[in-house]
Amino acid sequence: MAVIPVALAGRAYEVVIEQGLLDHIASRAEPYLAPYNRTGRAVPFVADTNTHAIFAGDLNDRLASAGIKAEWFVVEPGEDAKTWRVLERLCDWLLALGVTRKDHVFALGGGVVGDLVGFACAILKRGVGFVQIPTTLLAQVDSSVGGKTAINTAAGKNLIGAFHQPSLVLIDPLVLATLPDREMRAGYAEVLKYGLLGDAAFFAWLEANGEKVLAREPAALEHAIASSIAMKARIVAEDERETLDRRALLNLGHTFGHALEAETGFSDRLLHGEAVALGMVLAARYSARRGELSADDAARAARAIAAAGLPSEIAALGLACNGAALVDHMRHDKKAEGTTLPFLLLKALGEAYVARDVDLSDIAAFLDAELAAGKAGSGAV
Ligand code: ADP
Ligand code: ZN
C-alpha cells in the first residue's frame, strides 16, 4: 500500500494505491460517502458499460453491507462519451439527484469517465467534489491525478475543460486484471514517460522489470504506479496550471503523438498511449539529431518502447502523409503559441526540457526521413 500526497495549497489530496482496495471502498472513501448516508440519499457513481459490468456488482454489495446505496450513470465506452450531449445528461442527472456543493461524485473507469465526471463536477453548481477510481493503467498513472478535466468538440480533443482537482484518488491495481493487453501497453507508455522525462533510475528499473509490470505482477505493478504518481504529484504541486515549464514536461512525446493521433483520426488504429510511445521515440531521435542526446541513448529509448510491444517506428504505420502534414496537425495543438511550438526534448534519458527554438520546417524534414526509414529498409533500432 502507498499513499501519495498531492500538495496543493487549499486543495491537497491523497492518492491511495492498494491491492484489493475496492473491497474496502466503504471505509477508504468513508468521508465522502458518509454525508449521503446521513441524509439517506444514494451515492452517484459514473462508469462506462464495461467498468459497470465488471465492477458495479461487487461494489454495490460492498457498499450495501455498509448501508450505502449507489445510483449509476453509465456511458458508452470510448471518447464519444466526452461530448456536450453526454455532459448535459450527466449534469441533469446529478441535479435531479440533488447533489450539493458539499457532495462528491464517484468516477469509476478510464480516462474518459474521469475527464467527463471531473468536468461535470467543475461546472455543476460552480464546483462539486469528486473521487477518482481509475480502472485503466493510463488513468491510474496519469489522467486521474492533476485535475485536468475536459470534453471533446468537433474542433478537437479536450478543447473544453477546466482545472478541477479530485478530493481523493483510489487506485486498486487488481482492477487491471481485466484490462485488455493493448490498453495495458498503452498505459505503460505513460509509465515509461516518467522515467524518460525525469528519473533515469526508474527508466533503468523499467528496462529490467517492464515485463513484470505488463504481466501485472503485484509488487512490480504497484512500484511502477506509485513511482509514476509520485513524480506526477510533485510536478503538479510545482506547476498546477502549466504556467511554468514544469508541468509541460509531462507532455514528453505528446506533440509528435497528437499529430499522429490526428492523422489516424483519433481512432483505434493508434491509441493515445501508442501515439505517445512513438512520440517519445521521435523526441529522442530528434534530440539526437540536434546533438543533445547520444544516438545510443535514443536507440535505448526506442528499444524499451519496442520491448513493451509498443510501436517504435512511424514508417510501420503506413501513413500516406508527409512530414509537413504532420507539422500542420501540430500547429493546431492546444500547446501551440502563435506560430511556434514548444517541443519536449531530451538532454539525457531521465532529463527532458522544453525547447522553444525548434524550426518546424526542420521537424518536417526529420519526419519525412522517419516516414521513409522503413520503406528504404533502414529503420534503425
Ligand atoms: P483511457 O484510460 O486510456 O483514457 P478509456 O477510458 O477510453 O481509456 O478506457 C479504455 C477502454 O478500457 C474502454 O473500453 C473501457 O471501457 C475499458 N476499461 C477500462 N477499465 C477497464 C478494466 N479494468 N477492465 C476492462 N476494461 C476496462
Ligand atoms: Zn498522455
Side-chain angles (χ1 to χ4, degrees):
M1 179 175 175
V3 179
I4 298 166
V6 184
L8 288 165
R11 317 180 276 303
Y13 59 98
E14 286 181 343
V15 182
V16 181
I17 306 163
E18 182 187 5
Q19 308 274 336
L21 183 152
L22 283 195
D23 291 339
H24 309 290
I25 180 84
S27 60
R28 296 298 180 273
E30 201 273 336
Y32 307 105
L33 294 167
Y36 291 99
N37 236 13
R38 280 199 291 275
T39 49
R41 293 175 299 145
V43 183
F45 272 79
V46 183
D48 70 21
T49 53
N50 294 327
T51 58
H52 183 262
I54 301 168
F55 304 112
D58 279 354
L59 268 178
N60 283 335
D61 290 348
R62 305 286 178 210
L63 292 168
S65 42
I68 298 158
K69 182 175 167 6
E71 283 274 358
W72 293 84
F73 185 90
V74 182
V75 301
E76 290 300 319
E79 291 286 324
D80 287 352
K82 287 172 58 175
T83 59
W84 287 113
R85 196 178 50 82
V86 178
L87 176 74
E88 181 181 7
R89 279 178 33 227
L90 173 56
C91 288
D92 286 343
W93 181 77
L94 292 169
L95 290 171
L97 277 183
V99 168
T100 74
R101 294 190 66 182
K102 295 210 164 119
D103 286 331
H104 283 73
V105 180
F106 286 73
L108 175 80
V112 166
V113 170
D115 280 8
L116 172 72
V117 172
F119 186 47
C121 290
I123 58 177
L124 195 80
K125 300 189 173 174
R126 300 201 183 92
V128 306
F130 72 117
V131 174
Q132 290 270 27
I133 309 177
T135 63
T136 63
L137 180 60
L138 192 133
Q140 292 186 345
V141 300
D142 195 3
S143 54
S144 67
V145 178
K148 282 192 179 177
T149 74
I151 58 167
N152 308 325
T153 69
K157 274 183 67 176
N158 297 331
L159 291 180
I160 307 290
F163 284 99
H164 187 49
Q165 300 289 345
S167 300
L168 178 67
V169 183
L170 296 175
I171 295 179
D172 185 346
L174 292 184
V175 301
L176 302 179
T178 50
L179 189 70
D181 287 342
R182 187 179 176 199
E183 297 286 350
M184 188 74 190
R185 288 193 294 270
Y188 182 74
E190 303 271 6
V191 175
L192 279 171
K193 180 186 79 177
Y194 292 106
L196 284 173
L197 79 87
D199 188 341
F202 183 48
F203 178 74
W205 184 87
L206 290 169
E207 287 181 306
N209 297 281
E211 223 172 304
K212 293 183 193 151
V213 175
L214 288 166
R216 290 107 160 137
E217 283 189 22
L221 186 55
E222 188 169 325
H223 178 72
I225 296 170
S227 305
S228 300
I229 291 178
M231 184 177 307
K232 176 135 191 193
R234 200 165 60 238
I235 291 175
V236 167
E238 287 167 1
D239 182 17
E240 183 185 10
R241 301 207 165 210
E242 210 166 312
T243 44
L244 315 169
D245 270 347
R246 290 294 297 156
R247 189 163 183 165
L249 297 179
L250 297 171
N251 298 328
L252 177 64
H254 281 63
T255 299
F256 286 115
H258 285 158
L260 295 169
E261 283 184 279
E263 184 61 30
T264 48
F266 293 98
S267 67
D268 284 354
R269 225 175 121 193
L270 194 64
L271 300 180
H272 173 73
E274 293 168 345
V276 169
L278 277 166
M280 292 190 297
V281 173
L282 294 171
R285 289 194 184 144
Y286 191 71
S287 304
R289 177 180 164 110
R290 278 166 57 112
E292 286 164 348
L293 183 74
S294 75
D296 280 355
D297 278 348
R300 197 175 145 198
R303 265 200 310 278
I305 285 160
L310 286 160
S312 62
E313 292 298 335
I314 54 169
L317 291 179
L319 299 178
C321 67
N322 61 10
L326 291 174
V327 166
D328 232 34
H329 290 305
M330 293 176 192
R331 288 188 222 274
H332 297 116
D333 196 290
K334 272 202 298 312
K335 272 114 195 159
E337 298 167 353
T339 55
T340 69
L341 203 55
F343 271 83
L344 270 292
L345 299 179
L346 292 171
K347 281 184 192 159
L349 299 182
E351 195 184 345
Y353 77 102
V354 183
R356 297 189 184 279
D357 61 342
V358 171
D359 175 357
L360 289 179
S361 60
D362 191 49
I363 291 280
F366 163 72
L367 288 171
D368 279 335
E370 285 289 324
L371 285 161
K375 291 173 197 141
S378 62
V381 201

